[in-house]
Amino acid sequence: MKVLKFGGTSVGSAERIRSIANLLPNNEPCVVVLSAMAGTTNSLIDITNEAINGKMLMAIEKTKKLEDKYISTIEKLYETKTYRNRGEEFVSEIFQQIIRKFIDGFTDSNSREIVAFGEILSTGLFHMYLTELGKKSAYISALRFMRTDKDKEPDYFYIEESIDRAISTNPFAQVYITEGFICRNSIGEIDNLGRGGSDYTAAIIGNAVNATEVQIWTDIDGLHNNDPRFVENTTPLRSLSYDEAAELAYFGAKILHPATIQPCRVKGIPVLLKNTLQPEDEGTLITAFHNPQGIKAIAAKDGITAINIRSSRMLLAYGFLNKVFEVFNHYKTAVDMITTSEVAISLTIDNTENLTAITKQLSAFSSVDVEQNQTIICIVGDFVANRNGYAALVFGALKEIPIRMISYGGSNNNISVLIDSQNKVKALQALQGIVDNSTVINSELVAQTINY
Ligand code: ADP
Ligand code: ASP
Ligand code: MG
């Protein structure tokens, strides 16, 4: 069984929703994971913010505007009046539920419930569309199987059992349709996997059903060797190893949610990135196959905070690192980059939720400086087969840009540098000059090598 995930632009209009029905496999059952229509999650977050700020009338007005968009999509999506009526009923019922939450007294957990409606809407409309076409499809609600534990990690035991049950109660379906992004948390509330989380949903389902492949369908022809939003003439990479793709996703390649690779890697499930607008294009295939050659791709992660911690006990303070990391551990705050000298340590975090408490605790035994608006630039390639010259290439390209931190040697396929965010675009463009385009290899070779 394959898992196919379609992102926001791929379900962004009636025309796009109709076109993805043609991309489903004909000869085997599949699970289809859908994002909300492009723009909907942002609109729902904006609406809940109005409600949080007590502006209920504004929240209701914006909700009605969003509903109008859906009503006009329905007009174009279905062939028959019967399905147009069914679609309208379904949409109106959901928007009434949203408005009722504003009227009945808005709470914090209502925000997450409202944001979840984006995926519930697209999934319901697509299911109705397939039914109108006469395709054997079943809707399996993500809220009945996708659950996270108290550490916000997928509860695989529960997910596997529940999704198996959902599939086996609909044995004749060829297409099982479900929502990306949304889940229940450890106390059973409606929650989500974070922005862009539908990719992660697809990977978790792939793991749970032992899929033969997870396909991520989006609006670009694969993972490019640099960020196409800021750099011209980027090209898609045809093959990447799990490690390389995970590094790029973690360090900012927006095409993949950072957590997507892990659930597939542990089961050796290939991840194929495809373009809905150009379905014939081969896309990017991510597997265990590793092509040991050159500098392959560049990505950037914004919103980074650098913390410099200087030991007040000065030299030979063993146990200092331990004390520092205990603080980050206590606040469950992940550290991305780290450099050390004898008496000081610089590190970066992207979750600043507990920054004030962290700096307060660190200040009890050290002096602390914090710098915000930093960006990690991640250079992915093979830095093991031939170590000579890569560092010189990277720093030569960045010679005009002040570098705050460097991380080299921790990973075999990643060099990271920390710079001020205002220099990000300049750095990405400068590094494009050192990307080795000969690393774009033929996917047939990958297929043969890994027996795919
Ligand atoms: P979806 O809504 O389908 O999940 P996203 O907007 O999340 O799509 O991801 C696709 C977008 O990611 C592309 O349109 C592109 O602008 C952006 N992007 C950023 N970095 C990369 C990269 N290295 N390769 C491909 N796309 C990238
Ligand atoms: N709709 C959600 C978002 O916009 C999830 C996703 O698109 O993957 O973040
Ligand atoms: Mg996305």
Side-chain angles (χ1 to χ4, degrees):
M1 173 123 68
K2 286 182 178 154
V3 178
L4 288 80
K5 174 259 171 175
F6 294 93
T9 17
S10 307
V11 293
S13 65
E15 190 197 0
R16 303 258 34 93
I17 297 175
R18 291 165 76 104
S19 76
I20 65 172
N22 300 322
L23 302 175
L24 310 182
N26 287 322
N27 49 356
E28 58 170 333
C30 65
V31 178
V32 169
V33 176
L34 297 185
S35 291
M37 292 176 76
T40 295
T41 306
N42 285 347
S43 299
L44 291 171
I45 291 173
D46 179 39
I47 287 167
T48 59
N49 284 338
E50 297 289 5
I52 289 166
N53 294 327
K55 297 189 178 153
M56 296 304 167
L57 287 179
M58 184 57 93
I60 293 172
E61 195 180 306
K62 288 186 173 176
T63 306
K64 289 196 166 145
K65 247 199 193 142
L66 186 61
E67 180 174 7
D68 290 345
K69 265 209 219 162
Y70 276 85
I71 299 294
S72 70
T73 303
I74 286 165
E75 291 307 312
K76 293 177 213 140
L77 180 60
Y78 301 109
E79 290 292 334
T80 59
K81 188 144 184 15
T82 314
Y83 275 86
R84 283 197 289 274
N85 287 343
R86 276 191 204 175
E88 274 184 29
E89 260 170 47
F90 169 70
V91 165
S92 314
E93 165 55 26
I94 286 178
F95 281 93
Q96 271 166 33
Q97 280 189 54
I98 297 177
I99 287 174
R100 240 177 273 138
K101 290 187 198 296
F102 300 134
I103 295 168
D104 292 349
F106 192 76
T107 65
D108 197 35
S109 65
N110 287 154
S111 299
R112 280 172 277 137
E113 287 162 16
I114 289 175
V115 170
F117 280 122
E119 269 68 16
I120 295 173
L121 279 161
S122 54
T123 306
L125 293 178
F126 186 61
H127 179 221
M128 267 182 234
Y129 179 61
L130 290 188
T131 315
E132 188 185 38
L133 286 183
K135 286 212 186 230
K136 290 183 190 146
S137 63
Y139 165 62
I140 53 173
S141 166
L143 299 179
R144 300 189 70 165
F145 67 83
M146 189 56 74
R147 192 164 84 176
T148 52
D149 62 20
K150 60 180 186 349
D151 295 322
K152 300 190 173 176
E153 293 289 333
D155 180 346
Y156 278 105
F157 184 75
Y158 178 87
I159 294 168
E160 231 177 277
E161 218 180 59
S162 315
I163 199 167
D164 274 358
R165 199 176 318 119
I167 288 176
S168 58
T169 47
N170 294 285
F172 302 111
Q174 282 293 300
V175 187
Y176 297 92
I177 307 166
T178 191
E179 299 93 350
F181 177 59
I182 67 176
C183 63
R184 285 194 188 272
N185 60 24
S186 59
I187 53 169
E189 292 169 337
I190 295 179
D191 210 328
N192 61 64
L193 302 172
R195 294 305 307 267
S198 300
D199 303 331
Y200 191 26
T201 303
I204 296 168
I205 295 176
N207 177 300
V209 303
N210 293 310
T212 50
E213 184 174 87
V214 170
Q215 299 180 355
I216 307 286
W217 288 83
T218 180
D219 57 2
I220 189 164
D221 53 353
L223 203 152
H224 279 220
N225 54 12
N226 206 325
D227 194 323
R229 294 167 298 177
F230 306 110
V231 179
E232 283 176 14
N233 301 323
T234 61
T235 45
L237 290 148
R238 296 313 185 183
S239 140
L240 275 174
S241 70
Y242 291 122
D243 286 351
E244 291 165 337
E247 302 263 18
L248 288 166
Y250 188 73
F251 288 109
K254 189 189 170 231
I255 186 171
L256 273 183
H257 180 278
T260 311
I261 296 300
Q262 177 60 9
C264 295
R265 180 197 345 227
V266 294
K267 293 219 168 152
I269 301 166
V271 179
L272 181 61
L273 310 184
K274 293 277 286 177
N275 186 355
T276 342
L277 305 164
Q278 260 174 283
E280 63 295 341
D281 189 278
E282 64 179 291
T284 299
L285 181 62
I286 302 164
T287 61
F289 175 79
H290 182 235
N291 170 27
Q293 193 184 3
I295 291 179
K296 291 188 187 168
I298 319 289
K301 185 173 175 182
D302 294 323
I304 302 295
T305 297
I307 308 176
N308 184 264
I309 307 148
R310 192 163 281 274
S311 165
S312 40
R313 284 183 49 208
M314 300 308 288
L315 294 175
L316 302 176
Y318 68 85
F320 176 57
L321 286 184
N322 192 30
K323 268 162 98 175
V324 167
F325 283 108
E326 265 175 9
V327 176
F328 288 90
N329 196 20
H330 177 77
Y331 289 102
K332 294 193 170 149
T333 300
V335 170
D336 285 331
M337 275 178 83
I338 158 168
T339 59
T340 59
S341 74
E342 201 168 2
V343 291
I345 158 170
S346 265
L347 49 78
T348 70
I349 59 171
D350 69 346
N351 175 0
T352 50
E353 206 180 315
N354 295 307
L355 182 59
T356 315
I358 289 172
T359 46
K360 194 171 164 210
Q361 278 208 351
L362 292 171
S363 301
F365 58 92
S366 55
S367 61
V368 182
D369 285 315
V370 173
E371 269 176 276
Q372 284 177 317
N373 301 322
Q374 304 289 299
T375 291
I376 296 176
I377 303 281
C378 164
I379 299 110
V380 160
D382 189 78
F383 305 123
V384 170
N386 179 0
R387 288 182 194 274
N388 294 356
Y390 288 127
L393 271 179
V394 170
F395 297 116
L398 294 176
K399 64 179 184 293
E400 308 288 337
I401 292 164
I403 294 174
R404 168 78 176 69
M405 278 171 72
I406 300 165
S407 169
Y408 177 42
S411 150
N412 289 337
N413 47 25
N414 171 1
I415 298 176
S416 304
V417 293
L418 186 74
I419 59 170
D420 197 291
S421 297
Q422 65 184 355
N423 294 322
K424 171 178 97 168
V425 174
K426 200 169 151 196
L428 288 176
Q429 288 169 349
L431 287 165
Q432 184 65 4
I434 62 163
V435 172
D436 181 355
N437 280 317
S438 67
T439 59
V440 178
I441 65 157
N442 189 322
S443 59
E444 266 171 37
L445 173 66
V446 183
Q448 282 166 15
T449 318
I450 64 165
N451 220 351
Y452 169 60

